[in-house]
Amino acid sequence: MEQASNYGWSLPVAASTFAKDIDFGINIIHVAMFAIFILWGIYFTYMLVKYRHKEGVPARYKHGGVLWSFVPDIVVLVFELTLIFLYAIPSWSRIKMSVPPAGKSLVLEVVAEQFAWSIHYPGPDGKFGRKDPKLVNASNVLGLDPHDPAAKDDIVTVNELHIPVGKPTVFNLTSKDVIHSFFVPEFRIKQDAMPGMRVPVWFEPTMAGKFEIGCAQLCGFGHALMRGDVFVHSPEEFEAWLSEQKPALPQTS
Amino acid sequence: MAHKKHDAHGSQDFISKYVFSVDHKVIGLQYLITSLLFLLFGFILLMILRWQLAYPGQPIPLIGRLLSDNLAPGGVLSPTFYNALGAMHGTIMIFLGVVPLGVGAFGNYILPLQIGAPDMAFPRLNMMSYWVYLPGGMLMLLSFFLPGGAAQSGWTSYPPLSVINPGQTVWLLAMLLIITSSLLGSINFLVTALNMRAPGMSLWRMPVFVWAQLVTAVLLLLAFPPLQAAAILQFMDRVAGTSFYLPANLVVFGETVRAAGGGLPLLWQHLFWFLAHPEVYVLILPAMGIVAEIIAANTRKPIFGYKEIVGAMIFLGGMSFVVWAHHMFVSGMSPKLSNFFLITTMIISVPSVALLTCLIFSLRGGSIRFTTPMLFALAFLPLFGIGGLTGLPLGLSTTDIYLHDTYYVIGHFHYVVVTGSIIALMGGVYHWFPKWFGRRMDDFWGKVHFWGSVICMNGVFFPMFIQGLSGVQRRLYDPTAQLHNLPTQPLNIVSSVFAWLLFVAQIPFIWNFFYSMFKGKKTEENPWKATTLEWACPSPPPHGNFEKTPHVYRGPYEYSVPGHKNDWTPQHVEA
C-alpha cells in the first residue's frame, strides 16, 4: 500500500489492534458532541428569536422550571459515567496496563535523542547488552558496553523500526536528553520518552507496510525534523531482515 | 490598613493620580491598557509564526527584512525563533494578557464598585501588584533582545529542555514577578470582597461577577505558590547547578551533562499543571461573571439559577485542583493514576454544563436587546460550548492518547480562551466603557468588530480540529517535514489567512476605543438601566466612588419586577 494514502482529512488508517478501541471512543464522542451542539443550537436560536425585544412586551420576572435545568447536567453526567466505566477504564486497561508477556512478543528498546530515534534489538542471544552513557559516541550511539558479552550481538538501527505483523511489539522507551514523544498516527500510539525513566510501551501491528514515527513533544529546534519509519513486515520477511543485520559494536575476535 | 474614604479626597499630583495611583479605578485602567497592549503584542507574534506554518521556508513579506539574520536568515524564520515566538505567544497571552485583563482590569475596577466599597482593602498593595506586573512583563519582552533570545521551550517550559535551552532564565525571573503580582492581587480581592461590602450586601446579594472574582482569587492564591516554588527550582537548575528536574546520565548532543543528583522531569509537570489547570478557570470564571452581568442587563429579567451558578463556580474552583494530571496521561506517570484523573476531569464538566444551562435559560422569557456587549456575551455561549465539548475526548484517557499534543488540543483551548474568555472580556469592555470614561463606544463599529472577530476566530481555530484528528502534532516549525501532516497543510493556510483577517477586525476596536475615550457620546450614570451598584455612582466615579455609602436592599438582578414602574429595581433603592 502506498504510504501517503494512509493519511487524509480525518483519522489515518487504523493499523494496530488497539487503534479501533481509540477510534471507537473518538467517533462516539464526536457524534454525541455534534448532536448536543445541534440540539443546543436550535434551542438557543429559538430563544433569541422568540424573546427578542418587542415594544410593549415586558420580560417575565419569574423563571419557570428550575428543576428542568438539572436535566442537561444529569444527561451529561450519565453519558460521561457510561463512557468512563464501560469504555475509558476498560480500554485504558487493555492499552496501557496489560503489556503482553515476553514469550509472545518482540522485545525492543527505543531511545530518543535530539533529533533521532534509536532502536535497540537484543540480537540472536535475546539479551540486551549493558549501556553506559559515558560510552556514547558517534559510532556507539547508545553507549553499548563492549566488555559485556550480551552486548556483542546487539543490533541498533536509527530512525528505522522493523517489526513483524501480527505479533505484539513491546519496548521500553527512554530518552538520552530531553522529553520526546513516540507517535505513530496509524497505530494510534503516543508515549512520552522521558529521560531518567523507562516507560513500557506495546502495540500490535495489524497491517504490513511503511508507517511514520513523529515526535509529539517539543524537543528543540529540530523537533519538526525528528521522524522515523516503521516497516511492518511479514514474519518471514522480518526474520530475513533481522538475519541480515550486523551487530552494532565492532566485532573483535 | 483599609482605605478610609476621607483619605481618598486628598490632593493628588499627576504622578500620584495617574502613575503610582492607589485608586482601584486608575489601577484597573492601567491593567486594562497594559493587558490589551500585551494581547496585541502576543497576537503579532502569532501572525509572524503563522506565516511559517502556512508557507514554510518562504521569506516573510515586509517583516522578514526587518528581522536580524540570526532570527530570520534571508527573511525565513529560523526554527529557534519560531520556538521563541511560540513560547512567548503562549506566555504573553495567558500570563500578561488574559489574566491581567480579566482579574487585574475588570476585577480591580468593577469589584469594589459592585459591592459598594470606596476602594480595595489594601490600596497600596493594589498599586504594588500592578507595579510588579509591569516590570515582569517588560522583562519578558526584554528577553527577545538578549543574546540567545527569548525562551524557546513552550509556555509549559518542560525540563530538561527548558534547563538547557537559552532564554529561560529571564523567563523564569519574569514569571516570578508576574506570579507575585497575582498573589498580591488575589489577597486583596479576597479581603475586599469579604470585608468591605456595603451594609445590606450579604454574600447572596453579591453579583455573579463578584462571586466569579472571589473564586478566581482563591484559585490564584492556592495554585500559584506551587508554580512559584517550581520556577525557583528550575531557576536553581539553570544557574546553581542543582538538578531538581535533571535526571542522572543526561547526554545532550553527545556531551554528558553534569547533574548534581537524580532529579525528575515529571516533578515539574506535576507542579506546573497543578497551577495551570486551575489557571484555565482563572481565565474563564471572570469571563463567565461578565457574561452573566451582560445577559441580566440585556434580557431585562433576573438571571436564571443565581445560586446554582454560584454553587457551580465554587464546585468548579474546588475540583480544578484535582484534575491536573489529565495533561499527563502519556507522560510516563503511572497508568494506574490516570483513572483517578479521568474521573475527576469528567466530573468537572458537570458544573460547566450547569453554568451554561443557567445562562441560556436566562434568555427564556426575556426581552432581549442585541446591544454590542450582548452580542459578545451571546457568542460566548455556543463558542465556549465548542471549547467545552472538545475537552471531552482530551479528558478521556484513551482518546487522549491519540489527540494529545496535536492541533486538536490547540483548537480546544483556543475555543475556551479566545472565543470564550477573550470574547466575553471584549463584551465587558463595551459594557463598562461608559462607566470608565463617561462616554459610549460607537455601536456601529462595535458590531463590525464583533462580526469580524467571531467569524475570523472560527476560521482560525476550527480547522485545527480537523488537523488534530488527522494527526498533525503541535509546535512543528515545518509541518511539511512529515508525510502524515501533508494532506491537511492547506488548512494551515486557511487558519493563517483568518488570523491576519482577525487582526484587521481589531482595527475598528482599537480606533473605537481610543476615539470614544475622548470624543465618544457622553452618557448618563446608568446608560444600560442596570441594577448593580457600579451604576449607582457617577460615570466615571470620583476617587472614593460613592458620595454616600449605599445601602443594599435586594439581590443583584431585580429586573421587570411586577408592579414596579421601571423595569429595573437597583440594589440600593429602598422599596
Side-chain angles (χ1 to χ4, degrees):
Chain A
M1 187 203 262
E2 188 61 34
Q3 190 186 356
S5 64
N6 288 352
Y7 316 114
W9 277 48
S10 185
L11 294 170
V13 162
S16 78
T17 47
F18 57 63
K20 63 177 187 306
D21 261 358
I22 292 180
D23 290 2
F24 172 77
I26 290 177
N27 291 333
I28 202 164
I29 295 173
H30 280 83
V31 169
M33 274 198 255
F34 191 68
I36 292 172
F37 189 73
I38 294 297
L39 287 174
W40 191 93
I42 292 170
Y43 182 72
F44 179 64
T45 316
Y46 175 69
M47 290 288 115
L48 294 185
V49 175
K50 178 151 191 220
Y51 297 110
R52 68 189 187 278
H53 169 68
K54 287 177 226 130
E55 277 312 318
V57 183
R60 279 208 303 264
Y61 176 67
K62 279 218 177 328
H63 285 289
V66 173
L67 274 180
W68 279 102
S69 74
F70 290 101
V71 171
D73 308 354
I74 293 163
V75 170
V76 168
L77 190 63
V78 169
F79 173 65
E80 288 180 352
L81 289 176
T82 315
L83 268 183
I84 290 173
F85 291 105
L86 294 186
Y87 166 69
I89 291 179
S91 61
W92 181 259
S93 150
R94 282 194 296 278
I95 296 169
K96 285 284 180 187
M97 291 168 73
S98 41
V99 178
K104 292 186 177 159
S105 54
L106 173 71
V107 180
L108 308 167
E109 301 240 324
V110 175
V111 182
E113 66 181 294
Q114 291 174 320
F115 300 96
W117 303 98
S118 300
I119 323 295
H120 182 182
Y121 295 82
D125 67 353
K127 286 185 195 154
F128 288 100
R130 205 176 76 82
K131 290 188 281 258
D132 183 346
K134 290 189 199 73
L135 301 173
V136 170
N137 60 46
S139 60
N140 186 4
V141 287
L142 293 183
L144 281 171
D145 183 355
H147 301 296
D148 179 13
K152 290 193 187 305
D153 62 346
D154 288 11
I155 298 160
V156 175
T157 60
V158 176
N159 291 334
E160 279 193 17
L161 171 62
H162 291 263
I163 48 173
V165 68
K167 187 174 185 180
T169 299
V170 179
F171 58 91
N172 280 310
L173 180 63
T174 188
S175 164
K176 281 191 209 169
D177 40 38
V178 302
I179 304 171
H180 303 270
S181 189
F182 183 89
F183 176 40
V184 182
E186 295 96 320
F187 299 160
R188 311 286 186 272
I189 191 175
K190 188 176 289 136
Q191 177 60 55
D192 282 4
M194 189 66 80
M197 283 170 71
R198 287 152 58 85
V199 185
V201 189
W202 78 276
F203 63 94
E204 183 183 325
T206 54
M207 196 188 278
K210 188 179 170 193
F211 306 97
E212 190 165 42
I213 313 173
C215 177
Q217 183 64 263
L218 179 67
C219 59
F221 64 87
H223 173 51
L225 301 172
M226 183 164 170
R227 60 170 305 287
D229 292 303
V230 187
F231 296 89
V232 179
H233 305 281
S234 66
E236 303 75 36
E237 273 174 12
F238 174 70
E239 287 306 324
W241 174 84
L242 200 61
S243 61
E244 285 166 12
Q245 300 309 303
K246 293 197 177 71
L249 286 173
Q251 300 298 295
T252 48
S253 52
Chain B
M1 229 1 257
H3 193 90
K4 297 238 173 33
K5 201 175 163 187
H6 62 263
D7 293 340
H9 295 293
S11 69
Q12 291 178 292
D13 55 20
F14 182 84
I15 298 281
S16 63
K17 192 171 179 188
Y18 295 110
V19 185
F20 295 109
S21 173
V22 290
D23 184 344
H24 72 100
K25 299 182 294 295
V26 178
I27 297 169
L29 293 181
Q30 287 174 327
Y31 265 114
L32 177 76
I33 306 284
T34 317
S35 56
L36 284 174
L37 287 174
F38 275 125
L39 279 181
L40 189 67
F41 183 75
F43 187 28
I44 290 169
L45 298 185
L46 162 97
M47 289 195 293
I48 304 173
L49 182 152
R50 283 235 61 108
W51 174 267
Q52 168 66 19
L53 288 174
Y55 308 106
Q58 291 183 35
I60 314 167
L62 306 169
I63 302 165
R65 269 181 292 163
L66 304 174
L67 297 168
S68 70
D69 263 2
N70 57 344
L71 299 179
V76 180
L77 222 59
S78 74
T80 47
F81 189 46
Y82 172 88
N83 285 348
L85 289 177
M88 295 300 277
H89 165 72
T91 308
I92 289 172
M93 291 309 234
I94 290 179
F95 294 109
L96 297 172
V98 183
V99 176
L101 181 59
V103 180
F106 283 98
N108 247 316
Y109 202 109
I110 306 299
L111 181 137
L113 291 176
Q114 284 197 331
I115 59 169
D119 204 323
M120 281 284 190
F122 307 114
R124 280 187 179 76
L125 200 67
N126 202 15
M127 174 179 82
M128 190 175 159
S129 81
Y130 176 77
W131 284 105
V132 174
Y133 155 69
L134 186 66
M138 300 313 283
L139 192 62
M140 195 64 90
L141 298 195
L142 206 69
S143 67
F144 272 110
F145 302 99
L146 294 173
Q152 298 157 18
S153 314
W155 78 281
T156 51
S157 290
Y158 281 1
L161 186 68
S162 57
V163 177
I164 60 175
N165 252 359
Q168 195 70 20
T169 306
V170 176
W171 187 92
L172 288 163
L173 287 172
M175 282 302 289
L176 288 175
L177 289 174
I178 296 160
I179 296 169
T180 305
S181 156
S182 279
L183 286 175
L184 298 178
S186 61
I187 294 163
N188 218 344
F189 279 56
L190 280 173
V191 178
T192 306
L194 294 177
N195 283 327
M196 297 196 51
R197 280 168 286 133
M201 175 65 86
S202 64
L203 287 177
W204 287 121
R205 282 180 179 173
M206 292 199 308
V208 171
F209 178 78
V210 176
W211 272 110
Q213 291 287 344
L214 193 63
V215 177
T216 303
V218 175
L219 298 189
L220 285 173
L221 190 68
L222 299 181
F224 256 137
L227 184 69
Q228 182 119 348
I232 292 169
L233 300 187
Q234 195 177 105
F235 184 74
M236 302 268 282
D237 274 6
R238 285 184 66 84
V239 302
T242 58
S243 57
F244 292 103
Y245 305 121
L246 299 182
N249 298 329
L250 279 191
V251 183
V252 178
F253 283 125
E255 297 287 325
T256 312
V257 175
R258 205 181 65 79
L264 198 61
L266 265 186
L267 173 63
W268 168 267
Q269 296 192 15
H270 281 294
L271 293 170
F272 179 84
W273 288 114
F274 186 77
L275 156 91
H277 199 82
E279 179 81 0
V280 174
Y281 298 97
V282 169
L283 298 166
I284 207 68
L285 282 173
M288 282 181 163
I290 290 171
V291 168
E293 300 297 307
I294 296 174
I295 285 186
N298 288 283
T299 52
R300 315 306 295 165
K301 66 173 307 199
I303 203 96
F304 180 96
Y306 167 82
K307 285 192 177 173
E308 196 185 330
I309 290 180
V310 173
M313 281 180 171
I314 294 170
F315 184 53
L316 204 62
M319 285 297 290
S320 72
F321 285 104
V322 284
V323 299
W324 78 88
H326 67 223
H327 297 267
M328 298 167 63
F329 287 143
V330 297
S331 67
M333 170 186 88
S334 163
K336 286 182 196 142
L337 268 177
S338 298
N339 288 339
F340 170 76
F341 288 102
L342 155 73
I343 293 170
T344 52
T345 303
M346 288 293 126
I347 289 174
I348 205 172
S349 61
V350 175
S352 311
V353 172
L355 279 163
L356 272 185
T357 309
C358 288
L359 292 173
I360 190 177
F361 274 29
S362 295
L363 302 174
R364 207 160 146 246
S367 170
I368 303 170
R369 281 139 169 90
F370 294 96
T371 60
T372 306
M374 185 62 166
L375 291 178
F376 281 93
L378 290 173
F380 169 90
L381 300 176
L383 297 178
F384 176 73
I386 296 178
L389 285 169
T390 49
L392 283 177
L394 299 171
L396 216 60
S397 49
T398 315
T399 42
D400 182 60
I401 296 172
Y402 178 71
L403 296 171
H404 184 77
D405 271 331
T406 64
Y407 264 83
Y408 198 92
V409 181
I410 305 197
H412 157 69
F413 77 67
H414 280 87
Y415 262 93
V416 172
V417 176
V418 182
T419 63
S421 217
I422 293 182
I423 275 279
L425 294 168
M426 287 292 179
V429 170
Y430 286 95
H431 184 68
W432 279 303
F433 193 91
K435 183 50 54 186
W436 297 335
F437 301 108
R439 294 170 188 273
R440 284 177 88 139
M441 288 175 83
D442 185 83
D443 213 40
F444 171 77
W445 289 113
K447 282 176 178 158
V448 170
H449 173 221
F450 168 76
W451 288 110
S453 298
V454 165
I455 292 167
C456 293
M457 283 172 178
N458 283 290
V460 181
F461 305 127
F462 199 83
M464 293 180 178
F465 294 130
I466 301 166
Q467 288 182 295
L469 285 170
S470 73
V472 181
Q473 305 103 295
R474 63 197 290 202
R475 292 167 168 167
L476 292 177
Y477 163 70
D478 181 355
T480 60
Q482 300 187 18
L483 197 58
H484 68 268
N485 297 335
L486 290 179
T488 55
Q489 178 58 16
L491 289 177
N492 262 330
I493 301 176
V494 173
S495 272
S496 296
V497 170
F498 273 110
W500 301 321
L501 290 175
L502 182 58
F503 179 77
V504 177
Q506 302 317 299
I507 295 170
F509 170 71
I510 297 168
W511 180 82
N512 198 356
F513 186 90
F514 288 105
Y515 180 84
S516 307
M517 197 191 279
F518 302 106
K519 298 268 168 99
K521 211 167 88 188
K522 284 207 170 162
T523 147
E524 59 206 283
E525 196 171 281
N526 187 0
W528 307 116
K529 310 281 178 251
T531 51
T532 42
L533 285 186
E534 78 271 31
W535 304 105
C537 58
S539 306
H543 199 168
N545 299 344
F546 298 91
E547 272 306 306
K548 205 169 109 230
T549 305
H551 196 286
V552 176
Y553 295 96
R554 58 186 66 78
Y557 307 113
E558 295 294 309
Y559 289 97
S560 304
V561 183
H564 283 217
K565 192 164 73 89
N566 293 322
D567 74 348
W568 82 104
T569 316
Q571 284 191 282
H572 67 290
V573 173
E574 202 173 357

